[in-house]
Amino acid sequence: MGEIIVNRPDLHPKFFWDFKFDEIEWEAYKMVISRILERGGQQEINEIIRFYGRDKVVTAIRDEIYFLPNYAIDKALKFFPELKKEEMYCYLNRKDKPYHWI
């Protein structure tokens, strides 16, 4: 029997506890990247780079992800030194705007 090839990143389902893991659309890379930035470590960051490519991950973080909490922005800057906070849409989008949890 042939091996079944699954086209998805090798990430633990615990990062996506609020999704049906087998039904995640991995092409929805912004959700996956932001989730891993918020909750993952170096191993998971390496995996999303492997799966999506570094350029796509950096572009998503800089230009396409609309919200990340401060700690995730700080992690992104640590993992991707080419990023500047002042260029990140998720930072500019809420600079000087406090956000409140309901």
Side-chain angles (χ1 to χ4, degrees), residues 42-58:
Q42 184 68 58
Q43 182 177 338
E44 291 78 24
I45 296 291
N46 291 345
E47 180 58 15
I48 61 170
I49 291 170
R50 182 201 67 78
F51 187 76
Y52 294 115
R54 187 175 184 92
D55 289 345
K56 186 171 191 164
V57 172
V58 169

Side-chain angles (χ1 to χ4, degrees), residues 29-39 59-74 76 88-102:
Y29 62 93
K30 291 184 279 188
M31 178 279 293
V32 176
I33 293 168
S34 60
R35 180 65 59 104
I36 293 305
L37 270 176
E38 288 182 42
R39 295 179 169 77
T59 298
I61 295 168
R62 187 184 56 232
D63 302 330
E64 300 174 359
I65 295 173
Y66 295 149
F67 178 82
L68 286 173
N70 287 332
Y71 70 88
I73 291 173
D74 292 341
M88 294 172 68
Y89 184 82
C90 60
Y91 176 74
L92 296 173
N93 187 36
R94 70 137 196 266
K95 197 164 123 181
D96 303 316
K97 294 182 211 162
Y99 59 96
H100 303 283
W101 301 110
I102 298 173

Side-chain angles (χ1 to χ4, degrees), residues 14-29:
K14 71 180 180 185
F15 295 106
F16 305 95
W17 74 92
D18 51 344
F19 289 86
K20 290 183 178 174
F21 192 73
D22 293 334
E23 296 178 13
I24 292 175
E25 294 183 21
W26 298 102
E27 306 80 41
Y29 62 93

